[in-house]
């Protein structure tokens, strides 16, 4: 195999994700209450690494294999986005009855994709470097009557698509550097 891919990102192999819940900015006044309720979900990095690997293998036949010309390529994923937060900013007003509203959004991990590479010929390194691909994900508010489950499903589909797009951009930059 001419291309090998490794990752330095630590994770526990059995979990698909871990979630941490945090309540902050509590403001309990007499007539007005406000608080932030955040669920931070860290995805198993293997999900992103698998998407990266699959995309690299698909894209390799579109020019990368020809540039390698029998040389070996070692890729090491140093950093990648693999978390998101479900943020709920809640408000409550007490005027005889309680009136409340929430502003809920999905906030992606804004880490960039950082991959180092090494080109080997006959076991010795002839070229190496590191490429950083900017993460362009943005916060996304829930639509009217959209459930949390639906919003998370949408985010995960978009995450896979964004990882594939960042990998394609990485391959393009790598082709330029080789």
């Amino acid at each position: 195999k001419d291309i090998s891919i490794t990752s330095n990102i630590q994770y526990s192999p059995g979990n698909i994700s871990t979630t941490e819940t945090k309540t902050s900015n509590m403001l309990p006044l007499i007539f007005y209450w406000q608080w932030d309720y955040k669920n931070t979900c860290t995805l198993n990095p293997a999900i992103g690494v698998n998407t990266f690997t699959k995309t690299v293998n698909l894209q390799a036949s579109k020019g990368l294999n020809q540039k390698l010309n029998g040389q070996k390529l070692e890729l090491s994923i140093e950093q990648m986005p693999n978390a998101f937060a479900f943020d709920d900013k809640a408000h409550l007003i007490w005027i005889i009855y309680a009136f409340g509203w929430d502003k809920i959004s999905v906030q992606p991990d804004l880490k960039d994709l950082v991959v180092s590479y090494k080109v080997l010929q006959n076991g010795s390194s002839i070229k190496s470097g590191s490429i950083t691909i900017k993460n362009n994900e943005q916060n996304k508010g829930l639509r009217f009557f959209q459930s949390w489950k639906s919003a998370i499903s949408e985010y995960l589909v978009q995450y896979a698509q964004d990882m594939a797009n960042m990998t394609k951009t990485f391959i393009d930059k790598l082709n330029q550097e080789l």
Side-chain angles (χ1 to χ4, degrees):
K1 191 173 174 183
D2 291 340
I3 301 173
S4 67
I5 299 170
T6 59
S7 173
N8 297 334
I9 303 168
Q10 300 296 318
Y11 66 93
S12 55
N15 297 334
I16 292 174
S17 67
T18 56
T19 303
E20 180 182 308
T21 301
K22 182 180 174 187
T23 301
S24 61
N25 299 330
M26 184 74 159
L27 182 63
L29 301 175
I30 295 172
F31 296 110
Y32 176 76
W33 286 24
Q34 172 185 317
W35 62 93
D36 290 343
Y37 183 72
K38 188 176 279 201
N39 288 307
T40 304
C41 180
T42 304
L43 300 171
N44 185 327
I47 297 168
V49 170
N50 288 342
T51 302
F52 180 87
T53 302
K54 187 167 59 172
T55 307
V56 165
N57 289 333
L58 287 171
Q59 295 293 313
S61 63
K62 297 179 181 174
L64 186 59
N65 287 339
Q66 292 82 0
K67 284 227 173 174
L68 288 175
N69 198 17
Q71 300 168 334
K72 301 243 182 263
L73 175 64
E74 292 180 355
L75 301 176
S76 178
I77 302 170
E78 307 292 333
Q79 175 182 290
M80 69 189 311
N82 68 319
F84 66 95
F86 214 77
D87 189 42
D88 181 356
K89 295 187 184 306
H91 307 271
L92 188 70
I93 295 178
W94 295 91
I95 306 174
I96 301 174
Y97 297 104
F99 298 96
W101 68 97
D102 296 77
K103 183 173 183 180
I104 301 172
S105 63
V106 178
Q107 300 173 340
D109 187 358
L110 297 177
K111 284 191 257 178
D112 295 332
L113 175 64
V114 179
V115 181
S116 60
Y117 68 90
K118 194 183 296 183
V119 179
L120 303 168
Q121 187 170 30
N122 299 327
S124 61
S125 176
I126 58 170
K127 184 165 181 130
S128 64
S130 181
I131 297 175
T132 300
I133 305 299
K134 179 136 178 61
N135 183 353
N136 293 321
E137 290 183 299
Q138 296 181 359
N139 291 354
K140 185 173 184 212
L142 264 65
R143 294 185 309 275
F144 202 61
F145 290 122
Q146 184 178 22
S147 69
W148 286 42
K149 184 178 178 181
S150 166
I152 291 171
S153 293
E154 268 183 28
Y155 172 78
L156 293 175
V157 168
Q158 187 63 48
Y159 170 77
Q161 216 171 17
D162 290 341
M163 280 304 301
N165 290 338
M166 288 184 351
T167 304
K168 288 175 187 173
T169 305
F170 164 78
I171 293 294
D172 291 343
K173 283 194 174 186
L174 182 61
N175 270 328
Q176 290 171 5
E177 288 192 18
L178 293 180

